[in-house]
Amino acid sequence: MKKEVKYKPVNICAAIVAAVCIICVSVTVTVMARPLYYMDIKNLEIPQTSGYSATVCKENYDVLIDYNLLGGPSELELPSFNMSEQGEIHFAEVREIFMVMQGISIIAVIAAAAVLSHIIEKSKRHTGKRELIRRQSLWMRYTGVVLIVVAAVIGIAMAIDWQWSFELMHRIFFDNDYWLFDPVHDPVITILPDEFFMHCGILIVLLSVTHAVLLEFGYRRINR
């Protein structure tokens, strides 16, 4: 019992860190998931609502995504749209957030591969220490629980009031209101409807839940 108590705080801390890393990975994958926007061009009838062709929408979206990726251009120059100073500042702030998340994601993937490899190798060599291995790998189960709880809270909030959830997210991450775009000064917002961002949110939730399921499966596989 004392040994269980000893490992619990470590596993809980590891689970919180792992959950944050996985959420960063989920956001990064969503940012890179260009086909999601390509499908929404048609599904949300963006050319009809914005007045810009599908080709223009896709071309400008690709430039925007390239700007938000590691190794991408340091300046944002949309081929079809002018931007206000506030718009440029907002996109730069978004870029900083995404860059941090991508950095965390790369470190997290490398660390996860190393840790899981170590646990699997240890479980093979120390078949007589199953209880020790179980305690040391509990962070995987705890991480899954944290991810499910976070995904459930976000999912419920989105289902009840997407607009409120969208605004709350912006108020948490930004200390200004530059994200409130005026289509007259920042027409790019017309090709980025709220429904698209909702679909991004849904994808992030689904990816987080998928990771939770995979962690539980891995935990059971290691300890069976």
Side-chain angles (χ1 to χ4, degrees):
M1 186 65 180
K2 288 183 179 180
K3 290 182 179 180
E4 191 76 26
V5 173
K6 173 185 173 182
Y7 280 98
K8 192 169 184 179
V10 175
N11 278 301
I12 291 175
C13 291
I16 294 173
V17 172
V20 171
C21 290
I22 288 171
I23 291 172
C24 287
V25 171
S26 298
V27 171
T28 297
V29 171
T30 300
V31 170
M32 298 175 69
R34 300 179 197 235
L36 176 62
Y37 180 74
Y38 300 163
M39 289 188 295
D40 270 354
I41 289 176
K42 180 179 180 181
N43 295 335
L44 300 179
E45 300 181 340
I46 295 177
Q48 291 87 335
T49 58
S50 68
Y52 297 97
S53 69
T55 300
V56 169
C57 293
K58 184 177 179 181
E59 181 182 18
N60 285 271
Y61 182 76
D62 285 341
V63 170
L64 183 59
I65 293 304
D66 289 340
Y67 172 69
N68 283 286
L69 296 179
L70 288 172
S74 59
E75 299 293 331
L76 177 59
E77 296 181 4
L78 296 173
S80 308
F81 302 108
N82 295 321
M83 286 186 294
S84 67
E85 182 180 355
Q86 290 84 354
E88 291 180 0
I89 292 172
H90 177 67
F91 281 126
E93 291 176 338
V94 171
R95 182 176 185 267
E96 289 179 4
I97 293 172
F98 284 156
M99 290 294 180
V100 171
M101 287 190 169
Q102 288 168 58
I104 292 174
S105 298
I106 292 172
I107 295 171
V109 169
I110 295 173
V115 170
L116 291 176
S117 176
H118 173 72
I119 292 175
I120 292 171
E121 184 62 28
K122 198 170 184 179
S123 67
K124 290 179 179 178
R125 288 188 297 174
H126 302 284
T127 56
K129 298 182 179 180
R130 288 296 178 186
E131 184 58 25
L132 176 61
I133 293 169
R134 186 190 71 81
R135 288 195 296 266
Q136 291 182 340
S137 60
L138 266 175
W139 65 270
M140 298 172 68
R141 172 163 284 180
Y142 291 169
T143 301
V145 172
V146 173
L147 287 172
I148 292 295
V149 171
V150 172
V153 171
I154 294 175
I156 291 171
M158 288 172 56
I160 293 175
D161 192 333
W162 158 248
Q163 194 61 41
W164 175 84
S165 303
F166 187 62
E167 292 177 4
L168 177 62
M169 182 269 293
H170 279 82
R171 297 192 187 282
I172 290 173
F173 285 100
F174 306 104
D175 59 1
N176 55 56
D177 60 358
Y178 294 166
W179 56 275
L180 295 170
F181 280 36
D182 182 344
V184 175
H185 302 293
D186 290 292
V188 65
I189 196 61
T190 61
I191 69 168
L192 299 170
D194 283 356
E195 291 87 347
F196 165 66
F197 292 110
M198 181 177 68
H199 294 163
C200 290
I202 292 171
L203 180 57
I204 291 170
V205 169
L206 291 176
L207 288 171
S208 298
V209 171
T210 300
H211 278 102
V213 172
L214 291 175
L215 282 168
E216 177 63 22
F217 174 79
Y219 172 79
R220 294 188 180 189
R221 185 70 181 268
I222 289 170
N223 291 281
R224 70 179 183 180

Short mmCIF file of all heavy atoms in Angstrom, two decimals, residues 15-47:
data_model
loop_
_atom_site.label_atom_id
_atom_site.label_comp_id
_atom_site.label_asym_id
_atom_site.label_seq_id
_atom_site.Cartn_x
_atom_site.Cartn_y
_atom_site.Cartn_z
N ALA A 15 0.81 12.21 -15.72
CA ALA A 15 -0.43 12.17 -16.51
C ALA A 15 -0.83 13.57 -16.96
O ALA A 15 -1.25 13.77 -18.10
CB ALA A 15 -1.55 11.54 -15.69
N ILE A 16 -0.70 14.54 -16.07
CA ILE A 16 -1.06 15.92 -16.42
C ILE A 16 -0.14 16.45 -17.52
O ILE A 16 -0.60 17.04 -18.50
CB ILE A 16 -1.00 16.83 -15.17
CG1 ILE A 16 -2.09 16.40 -14.17
CG2 ILE A 16 -1.16 18.29 -15.57
CD1 ILE A 16 -2.00 17.12 -12.84
N VAL A 17 1.16 16.21 -17.34
CA VAL A 17 2.13 16.64 -18.36
C VAL A 17 1.85 15.95 -19.69
O VAL A 17 1.84 16.58 -20.76
CB VAL A 17 3.57 16.36 -17.91
CG1 VAL A 17 4.56 16.63 -19.03
CG2 VAL A 17 3.92 17.20 -16.69
N ALA A 18 1.61 14.64 -19.64
CA ALA A 18 1.34 13.86 -20.85
C ALA A 18 0.07 14.34 -21.54
O ALA A 18 0.00 14.43 -22.77
CB ALA A 18 1.24 12.38 -20.52
N ALA A 19 -0.98 14.65 -20.74
CA ALA A 19 -2.24 15.11 -21.31
C ALA A 19 -2.06 16.45 -22.03
O ALA A 19 -2.59 16.64 -23.13
CB ALA A 19 -3.29 15.25 -20.21
N VAL A 20 -1.30 17.36 -21.42
CA VAL A 20 -1.02 18.64 -22.07
C VAL A 20 -0.29 18.42 -23.39
O VAL A 20 -0.61 19.04 -24.41
CB VAL A 20 -0.19 19.56 -21.13
CG1 VAL A 20 0.29 20.80 -21.89
CG2 VAL A 20 -1.02 19.97 -19.92
N CYS A 21 0.69 17.54 -23.37
CA CYS A 21 1.46 17.23 -24.58
C CYS A 21 0.57 16.64 -25.66
O CYS A 21 0.68 17.01 -26.84
CB CYS A 21 2.60 16.27 -24.25
SG CYS A 21 3.92 16.99 -23.25
N ILE A 22 -0.32 15.74 -25.27
CA ILE A 22 -1.20 15.10 -26.25
C ILE A 22 -2.18 16.10 -26.84
O ILE A 22 -2.50 16.06 -28.04
CB ILE A 22 -1.94 13.91 -25.60
CG1 ILE A 22 -0.96 12.76 -25.37
CG2 ILE A 22 -3.11 13.45 -26.47
CD1 ILE A 22 -1.51 11.63 -24.56
N ILE A 23 -2.67 17.02 -26.02
CA ILE A 23 -3.56 18.06 -26.54
C ILE A 23 -2.81 18.93 -27.55
O ILE A 23 -3.34 19.31 -28.59
CB ILE A 23 -4.12 18.91 -25.39
CG1 ILE A 23 -5.09 18.06 -24.56
CG2 ILE A 23 -4.83 20.16 -25.93
CD1 ILE A 23 -5.57 18.72 -23.29
N CYS A 24 -1.53 19.23 -27.25
CA CYS A 24 -0.71 19.99 -28.20
C CYS A 24 -0.53 19.22 -29.50
O CYS A 24 -0.60 19.80 -30.59
CB CYS A 24 0.66 20.29 -27.58
SG CYS A 24 0.63 21.55 -26.29
N VAL A 25 -0.32 17.92 -29.39
CA VAL A 25 -0.20 17.07 -30.59
C VAL A 25 -1.50 17.10 -31.38
O VAL A 25 -1.50 17.22 -32.62
CB VAL A 25 0.17 15.63 -30.21
CG1 VAL A 25 0.07 14.71 -31.43
CG2 VAL A 25 1.57 15.56 -29.62
N SER A 26 -2.64 17.00 -30.69
CA SER A 26 -3.94 16.99 -31.35
C SER A 26 -4.19 18.32 -32.07
O SER A 26 -4.72 18.33 -33.20
CB SER A 26 -5.05 16.75 -30.32
OG SER A 26 -4.89 15.48 -29.70
N VAL A 27 -3.81 19.42 -31.44
CA VAL A 27 -3.97 20.74 -32.08
C VAL A 27 -3.05 20.83 -33.30
O VAL A 27 -3.48 21.30 -34.37
CB VAL A 27 -3.63 21.87 -31.08
CG1 VAL A 27 -3.59 23.22 -31.80
CG2 VAL A 27 -4.66 21.92 -29.96
N THR A 28 -1.83 20.36 -33.17
CA THR A 28 -0.88 20.41 -34.28
C THR A 28 -1.37 19.59 -35.47
O THR A 28 -1.31 20.06 -36.62
CB THR A 28 0.50 19.88 -33.83
OG1 THR A 28 1.02 20.74 -32.80
CG2 THR A 28 1.48 19.85 -34.99
N VAL A 29 -1.88 18.40 -35.20
CA VAL A 29 -2.41 17.56 -36.28
C VAL A 29 -3.59 18.26 -36.96
O VAL A 29 -3.72 18.23 -38.19
CB VAL A 29 -2.84 16.19 -35.73
CG1 VAL A 29 -3.61 15.40 -36.80
CG2 VAL A 29 -1.63 15.40 -35.26
N THR A 30 -4.43 18.90 -36.15
CA THR A 30 -5.59 19.61 -36.70
C THR A 30 -5.17 20.78 -37.58
O THR A 30 -5.73 21.01 -38.65
CB THR A 30 -6.50 20.10 -35.56
OG1 THR A 30 -6.94 18.98 -34.79
CG2 THR A 30 -7.71 20.84 -36.11
N VAL A 31 -4.17 21.53 -37.12
CA VAL A 31 -3.66 22.65 -37.92
C VAL A 31 -3.13 22.16 -39.26
O VAL A 31 -3.32 22.80 -40.30
CB VAL A 31 -2.54 23.40 -37.15
CG1 VAL A 31 -1.85 24.41 -38.06
CG2 VAL A 31 -3.12 24.11 -35.93
N MET A 32 -2.49 21.00 -39.26
CA MET A 32 -1.89 20.46 -40.48
C MET A 32 -2.90 19.71 -41.35
O MET A 32 -2.58 19.32 -42.47
CB MET A 32 -0.74 19.53 -40.10
CG MET A 32 0.39 20.24 -39.37
SD MET A 32 1.68 19.11 -38.79
CE MET A 32 2.41 18.60 -40.34
N ALA A 33 -4.12 19.52 -40.83
CA ALA A 33 -5.14 18.75 -41.56
C ALA A 33 -5.84 19.63 -42.59
O ALA A 33 -7.02 19.99 -42.46
CB ALA A 33 -6.15 18.16 -40.57
N ARG A 34 -5.13 19.97 -43.63
CA ARG A 34 -5.68 20.84 -44.68
C ARG A 34 -6.94 20.27 -45.33
O ARG A 34 -7.84 21.02 -45.70
CB ARG A 34 -4.61 21.13 -45.73
CG ARG A 34 -3.37 21.81 -45.18
CD ARG A 34 -2.34 22.05 -46.27
NE ARG A 34 -1.04 22.33 -45.69
CZ ARG A 34 -0.31 23.42 -45.96
NH1 ARG A 34 -0.79 24.33 -46.78
NH2 ARG A 34 0.87 23.60 -45.41
N PRO A 35 -7.02 18.92 -45.54
CA PRO A 35 -8.23 18.38 -46.16
C PRO A 35 -9.52 18.73 -45.43
O PRO A 35 -10.59 18.77 -46.04
CB PRO A 35 -7.97 16.86 -46.13
CG PRO A 35 -6.49 16.74 -46.20
CD PRO A 35 -5.98 17.88 -45.35
N LEU A 36 -9.43 18.99 -44.11
CA LEU A 36 -10.62 19.38 -43.36
C LEU A 36 -11.19 20.68 -43.93
O LEU A 36 -12.40 20.81 -44.14
CB LEU A 36 -10.28 19.55 -41.88
CG LEU A 36 -11.42 20.05 -40.98
CD1 LEU A 36 -12.57 19.05 -40.97
CD2 LEU A 36 -10.92 20.30 -39.55
N TYR A 37 -10.30 21.64 -44.19
CA TYR A 37 -10.76 22.91 -44.76
C TYR A 37 -11.21 22.72 -46.20
O TYR A 37 -12.22 23.29 -46.62
CB TYR A 37 -9.66 23.96 -44.69
CG TYR A 37 -10.10 25.29 -45.27
CD1 TYR A 37 -10.97 26.12 -44.57
CD2 TYR A 37 -9.65 25.72 -46.53
CE1 TYR A 37 -11.39 27.34 -45.10
CE2 TYR A 37 -10.06 26.93 -47.06
CZ TYR A 37 -10.93 27.74 -46.34
OH TYR A 37 -11.35 28.95 -46.87
N TYR A 38 -10.47 21.91 -46.96
CA TYR A 38 -10.85 21.68 -48.35
C TYR A 38 -12.27 21.11 -48.44
O TYR A 38 -13.04 21.49 -49.33
CB TYR A 38 -9.87 20.72 -49.02
CG TYR A 38 -8.43 21.20 -49.05
CD1 TYR A 38 -7.39 20.30 -49.30
CD2 TYR A 38 -8.10 22.53 -48.84
CE1 TYR A 38 -6.06 20.72 -49.35
CE2 TYR A 38 -6.78 22.96 -48.87
CZ TYR A 38 -5.77 22.05 -49.12
OH TYR A 38 -4.46 22.46 -49.15
N MET A 39 -12.60 20.19 -47.54
CA MET A 39 -13.95 19.62 -47.53
C MET A 39 -14.98 20.68 -47.13
O MET A 39 -16.08 20.72 -47.67
CB MET A 39 -14.01 18.42 -46.59
CG MET A 39 -13.28 17.19 -47.08
SD MET A 39 -13.58 15.73 -46.06
CE MET A 39 -12.82 16.24 -44.50
N ASP A 40 -14.59 21.53 -46.17
CA ASP A 40 -15.53 22.55 -45.70
C ASP A 40 -15.77 23.63 -46.74
O ASP A 40 -16.81 24.31 -46.71
CB ASP A 40 -15.03 23.18 -44.40
CG ASP A 40 -15.53 22.44 -43.18
OD1 ASP A 40 -16.35 21.51 -43.35
OD2 ASP A 40 -15.12 22.75 -42.04
N ILE A 41 -14.83 23.82 -47.66
CA ILE A 41 -15.06 24.78 -48.75
C ILE A 41 -16.36 24.42 -49.47
O ILE A 41 -17.18 25.30 -49.78
CB ILE A 41 -13.88 24.79 -49.74
CG1 ILE A 41 -12.65 25.42 -49.10
CG2 ILE A 41 -14.26 25.54 -51.02
CD1 ILE A 41 -11.41 25.39 -49.99
N LYS A 42 -16.53 23.12 -49.68
CA LYS A 42 -17.75 22.65 -50.35
C LYS A 42 -18.91 22.50 -49.38
O LYS A 42 -20.01 22.98 -49.64
CB LYS A 42 -17.48 21.31 -51.04
CG LYS A 42 -18.68 20.73 -51.76
CD LYS A 42 -18.36 19.42 -52.45
CE LYS A 42 -19.58 18.85 -53.15
NZ LYS A 42 -19.28 17.54 -53.82
N ASN A 43 -18.65 21.83 -48.24
CA ASN A 43 -19.74 21.54 -47.30
C ASN A 43 -20.38 22.80 -46.71
O ASN A 43 -21.60 22.83 -46.47
CB ASN A 43 -19.21 20.66 -46.15
CG ASN A 43 -18.77 19.29 -46.63
OD1 ASN A 43 -19.24 18.80 -47.66
ND2 ASN A 43 -17.86 18.67 -45.91
N LEU A 44 -19.57 23.82 -46.47
CA LEU A 44 -20.09 25.06 -45.88
C LEU A 44 -20.40 26.11 -46.94
O LEU A 44 -20.78 27.23 -46.60
CB LEU A 44 -19.08 25.62 -44.87
CG LEU A 44 -18.74 24.72 -43.68
CD1 LEU A 44 -17.70 25.40 -42.79
CD2 LEU A 44 -19.98 24.38 -42.89
N GLU A 45 -20.21 25.73 -48.20
CA GLU A 45 -20.48 26.65 -49.33
C GLU A 45 -19.76 27.98 -49.14
O GLU A 45 -20.33 29.06 -49.31
CB GLU A 45 -21.99 26.86 -49.48
CG GLU A 45 -22.75 25.58 -49.75
CD GLU A 45 -24.24 25.80 -49.94
OE1 GLU A 45 -24.73 26.85 -49.49
OE2 GLU A 45 -24.90 24.94 -50.53
N ILE A 46 -18.48 27.90 -48.81
CA ILE A 46 -17.70 29.10 -48.54
C ILE A 46 -17.60 30.04 -49.75
O ILE A 46 -17.70 31.26 -49.60
CB ILE A 46 -16.30 28.73 -48.01
CG1 ILE A 46 -16.44 28.02 -46.65
CG2 ILE A 46 -15.42 29.96 -47.87
CD1 ILE A 46 -15.14 27.54 -46.05
N PRO A 47 -17.41 29.51 -50.98
CA PRO A 47 -17.38 30.42 -52.13
C PRO A 47 -18.66 31.25 -52.27
O PRO A 47 -18.61 32.44 -52.59
CB PRO A 47 -17.20 29.47 -53.32
CG PRO A 47 -16.48 28.29 -52.74
CD PRO A 47 -17.09 28.13 -51.37
#
